[in-house]
């Protein structure tokens, strides 16, 4: 089991070149996709992905333990617990992305992911590591992303052609490129454009759903050329900010 904040021994931007693939700047390197040597010192994980695990909150692990202790499993309740935690959701998607490389045949909802996998396997992946007790930054970011996700879901309900469930996922994981820095992985990426490019790279490397890859990329578009995903995210951030300000009064 990996420890929270496990450092990567090489700066990712020392090994990853930036190339233009018709989107924005996207990172690509065959060694990153096929070689675990750059992550030397990392232990074996619940699946083959050499990158460190994404931490989940202590409450997420406790709730899952309680739900799985019964004779029958409430799939809806389990799914809601996973979706309440950005780390748990991403860990599940990483596992599904490895199990189902073909996007056309992969499970689409968290409940379908749960059904398609052995319970011990997905639990070990989701709960592989927890947020350190003194790491308030990660906990606060997970809470903020959950607020944005909920707002994105509400906005999508009034937007023709957009799935509220997909909008929730986008709200929860759109800031993927900032996770390495937040979690203490030494990647050397700091600017918003670099973080966005890193998010696209990670989303494609982990074989996340195509709509997530598109949404992460589209964030860098200007207001004049704003896509539907970028528009939903902008509105969701504004709504979440207003909710937070109201709760702090």
């Amino acid at each position: 089991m990996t420890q929270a904040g496990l450092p990567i021994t090489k700066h990712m931007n020392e090994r990853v070149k930036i190339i233009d693939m018709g989107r924005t700047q996207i990172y690509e390197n065959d060694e990153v996709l096929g070689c675990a040597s750059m992550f030397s010192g990392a232990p074996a994980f619940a699946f083959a992905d050499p990158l460190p695990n994404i931490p989940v909150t202590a409450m997420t692990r406790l709730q899952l333990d309680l739900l799985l202790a019964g004779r029958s499993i409430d799939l809806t309740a389990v799914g809601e617990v996973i979706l309440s935690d950005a780390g748990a959701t991403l860990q599940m998607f990483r596992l599904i992305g490895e199990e189902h490389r073909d996007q056309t045949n992969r499970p689409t909802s968290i409940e379908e992911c749960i059904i398609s996998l052995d319970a011990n396997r997905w639990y070990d992946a989701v709960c592989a590591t927890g947020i350190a007790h003194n790491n308030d930054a990660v906990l606060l970011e997970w809470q903020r992303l959950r607020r944005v996700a909920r707002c994105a879901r509400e906005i999508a309900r009034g937007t023709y052609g957009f799935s509220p469930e997909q909008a929730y996922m986008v709200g929860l994981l759109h800031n993927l490129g900032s996770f390495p820095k937040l979690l203490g992985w030494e990647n050397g990426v700091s600017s918003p454009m670099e973080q966005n490019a890193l998010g696209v790279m990670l989303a494609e490397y982990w074989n996340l759903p195509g709509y997530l890859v598109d949404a992460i990329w589209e964030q860098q578009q200007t207001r004049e050329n704003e896509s539907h995903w970028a528009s939903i995210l902008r509105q969701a951030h504004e709504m979440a900010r207003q909710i937070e300000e109201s709760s702090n009064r």
Side-chain angles (χ1 to χ4, degrees):
M1 183 175 296
T2 222
Q3 297 296 318
L6 178 70
I8 293 177
T9 56
K10 294 286 186 181
H11 289 289
M12 291 189 73
N13 66 335
E14 293 176 357
R15 298 289 298 277
V16 180
K17 61 183 178 181
I18 302 176
I19 63 175
D20 184 1
M21 293 181 62
R23 292 184 169 183
T24 182
Q25 290 178 310
I26 297 179
Y27 292 81
E28 182 179 87
N29 188 297
D30 290 339
E31 290 181 298
V32 172
L33 299 180
C35 179
S37 62
M38 71 177 288
F39 309 108
S40 58
F45 302 108
F47 45 101
D49 186 351
L51 286 170
N53 293 306
I54 312 298
V56 301
T57 68
M59 181 58 70
T60 294
R61 182 178 294 182
L62 175 61
Q63 289 178 320
L64 288 176
D65 285 341
L66 293 174
L67 288 169
L68 296 177
R71 292 185 177 181
S72 60
I73 298 177
D74 185 337
L75 292 177
T76 300
V78 171
E80 289 176 352
V81 171
I82 292 174
L83 288 172
S84 70
D85 188 305
T89 302
L90 183 52
Q91 284 289 90
M92 178 66 83
F93 273 155
R94 289 171 73 184
L95 183 58
I96 285 295
E98 181 179 284
E99 292 283 318
H100 300 271
R101 301 305 301 179
D102 185 354
Q103 292 269 354
T104 60
N105 296 321
R106 66 183 295 160
T108 56
S109 69
I110 287 294
E111 290 186 17
E112 290 175 347
C113 292
I114 295 169
I115 294 172
S116 69
L117 296 167
D118 175 77
N120 290 327
R121 182 167 170 75
W122 69 252
Y123 176 88
D124 287 344
V126 168
C127 297
T129 188
I131 298 174
H133 294 299
N134 60 347
N135 199 337
D136 292 337
V138 176
L139 182 60
L140 290 173
E141 178 65 3
W142 270 204
Q143 293 171 347
R144 187 188 72 84
L145 289 172
R146 186 182 181 185
R147 286 194 296 271
V148 173
R150 286 174 166 173
C151 292
R153 180 171 57 195
E154 291 305 311
I155 293 168
R157 284 175 175 156
T159 305
Y160 177 76
F162 275 80
S163 162
E165 289 72 25
Q166 289 186 2
Y168 183 92
M169 300 292 191
V170 168
L172 199 65
L173 300 177
H174 72 279
N175 208 23
L176 183 60
S178 70
F179 287 11
K181 183 177 180 180
L182 177 70
L183 299 174
W185 306 0
E186 296 179 9
N187 60 76
V189 171
S190 57
S191 73
M193 182 171 288
E194 287 178 326
Q195 286 191 359
N196 189 71
L198 180 58
V200 173
M201 184 204 79
L202 288 172
E204 292 184 334
Y205 171 56
W206 285 328
N207 195 28
L208 300 188
Y211 68 85
L212 272 172
V213 180
D214 292 340
I216 294 171
W217 163 56
E218 290 171 6
Q219 291 179 95
Q220 287 298 314
Q221 294 181 346
T222 63
R223 185 73 172 265
E224 292 75 17
N225 299 319
E226 194 173 56
S227 69
H228 289 300
W229 277 129
S231 176
I232 287 176
L233 283 170
R234 176 178 55 78
Q235 295 177 63
H237 275 284
E238 177 63 20
M239 184 184 296
R241 183 185 63 79
Q242 293 176 358
I243 292 173
E244 185 175 5
E245 288 179 352
S246 298
S247 64
N248 291 333
R249 289 174 184 169

